[in-house]
Amino acid sequence: MQLGLIGLGKMGGNMAERIRLGGHQVVGFDFSADAVAKLTASGNVGVSSLEDLVAKLETPRAIWIMVPQGDPVDQTIAKLEPLLSPGDTLIDGGNSNYKESIRRHGEVTAKGFNFVDVGTSGGVWGLKEGYSMMIGGDEAPIERLRPIFEALAPAADRGWGRVGPAGAGHFTKMVHNGIEYGLMQAFAEGFTILEKKESLDLDLAQIAEIWRHGSVVRSWLLDLTAEALKGNPTLEGLEAYVSDSGEGRWTVFEAIDLNVSAPVITESLIRRIRSREENNFTDRMLSIMRNAFGGHAVKKS
């Protein structure tokens, strides 16, 4: 089976290779000539334009869009639509907002094409481990794309599935990432408590390795944490700056809209935002208030 792929960055390139290893062909486009050349060298087909990509695909075409969420997705779809034929399928495998995926599904299907939203998890490890895919959209195009999903997944019968109608894939991935925020925050806080207990001289890398086997907190996230601590047990050279790609925020907004209490996810998001504040005003306000009502010492820069 053929798949068009737009966006050959680290994750897109790894996906293309896994699809190739699964016995299918990728026709890929990227603005980076090096990425296109690398794709061709691997045994797939790299092209230099969207027109060329569409022309090289057999009908009905399936084109996976792997670009940043928001306007880049809309622009890509707008450029593709005049080149497509009825029955072709567009797949958004990025981290789009599910509301935009519902809108895009309506717009694309009204023109005779199919639209599928795929919440894709696996990151840089997907080539080796496979990708977890939460898929939203109409059943017929998803079933036709089954060989591609089976090639990308950890196994043909595991790690992927249609979770609901249009938008359901990206909604599920949004909540997945919100949970991820909370898990990461809990691990970070726990290891910080261990690190601060200097009198016990604890080896964090050793503890992480112990927890990986038999413990109720064992997980792939802990596996990666243990590996990172082996290489840099004191986190030397790292800044306390943590970015977020949007899904955690959207999860918190949804929780509020649905009247669902989600304090762990919410606080983990707030902690990420706070990590970016240099000499933050909030803490300085707390310091001056403590000084005002209790005469507590103020540390001045």
Side-chain angles (χ1 to χ4, degrees):
M1 185 174 186
Q2 278 187 317
L3 178 74
L5 179 60
I6 299 171
L8 301 174
K10 182 67 173 175
M11 189 164 176
N14 284 347
M15 291 174 67
E17 179 62 10
R18 190 166 177 93
I19 291 169
R20 185 188 70 81
L21 293 172
H24 308 287
Q25 184 188 61
V26 169
V27 180
F29 167 77
D30 195 280
F31 288 112
S32 166
D34 288 343
V36 172
K38 184 177 179 182
L39 181 73
T40 301
S42 73
N44 281 306
V45 179
V47 298
S48 58
S49 70
L50 294 181
E51 289 81 3
D52 200 13
L53 180 141
V54 172
K56 279 186 164 54
L57 290 172
E58 301 166 355
T59 57
R61 303 175 185 89
I63 301 176
W64 190 301
I65 301 169
M66 207 68 182
V67 301
Q69 63 91 14
D71 194 49
V73 178
D74 286 323
Q75 288 187 26
T76 302
I77 291 173
K79 290 174 182 176
L80 284 170
E81 284 178 336
L83 309 172
L84 300 178
S85 304
D88 289 350
T89 300
L90 295 176
I91 308 146
D92 181 3
N95 285 324
S96 291
N97 188 297
Y98 81 96
K99 294 177 182 177
E100 293 184 344
S101 296
I102 294 172
R103 169 181 61 80
R104 289 172 185 137
H105 176 271
E107 293 171 352
V108 167
T109 55
K111 298 172 184 176
F113 314 125
N114 300 304
F115 183 86
V116 174
D117 55 287
V118 181
T120 312
S121 180
V124 298
W125 293 90
L127 175 57
K128 178 183 176 184
E129 303 287 342
Y131 295 90
S132 171
M133 291 168 291
M134 300 136 266
I135 305 168
D138 302 323
E139 292 184 19
I142 292 172
E143 185 59 31
R144 190 176 74 81
L145 290 165
R146 172 180 286 272
I148 297 297
F149 296 134
E150 289 179 343
L152 286 169
D157 59 349
R158 291 199 309 273
W160 75 278
R162 178 182 182 269
V163 295
H170 282 148
F171 184 85
T172 306
K173 176 59 162 48
M174 175 193 75
V175 177
H176 162 283
N177 281 28
I179 294 169
E180 178 186 298
Y181 279 36
L183 292 172
M184 291 174 69
Q185 185 66 30
F187 274 123
E189 291 176 7
F191 278 104
T192 301
I193 294 168
L194 294 170
E195 191 269 338
K196 290 295 182 184
K197 193 63 175 177
E198 296 178 358
S199 63
L200 296 182
D201 193 25
L202 300 171
D203 183 333
L204 302 192
Q206 179 202 25
I207 292 167
E209 189 62 32
I210 290 171
W211 286 353
R212 288 184 58 220
H213 306 282
S215 163
V216 295
V217 299
R218 65 188 184 273
S219 64
W220 186 46
L221 180 58
L222 181 60
D223 293 343
L224 297 175
T225 301
E227 195 63 31
L229 285 170
K230 280 182 192 174
N232 189 358
T234 62
L235 309 187
E236 186 177 352
L238 298 177
E239 290 187 17
Y241 184 103
V242 187
S243 61
D244 73 282
S245 55
E247 294 91 340
R249 295 177 185 234
W250 302 337
T251 304
V252 171
F253 298 156
E254 280 297 321
I256 293 169
D257 287 345
L258 296 169
N259 286 321
V260 173
S261 175
V264 172
I265 295 173
T266 303
E267 178 58 22
S268 66
L269 171 64
I270 298 302
R271 292 299 304 175
R272 289 192 179 203
I273 295 170
R274 188 163 180 161
S275 76
R276 302 164 213 162
E277 299 179 16
E278 198 169 316
N279 193 20
N280 72 76
F281 194 80
T282 305
D283 287 349
R284 284 184 284 155
M285 280 298 304
L286 289 171
S287 180
I288 201 168
M289 282 188 281
R290 291 184 77 246
N291 176 261
F293 69 69
H296 302 287
V298 175
K299 187 182 265 189
K300 296 185 179 180
S301 59

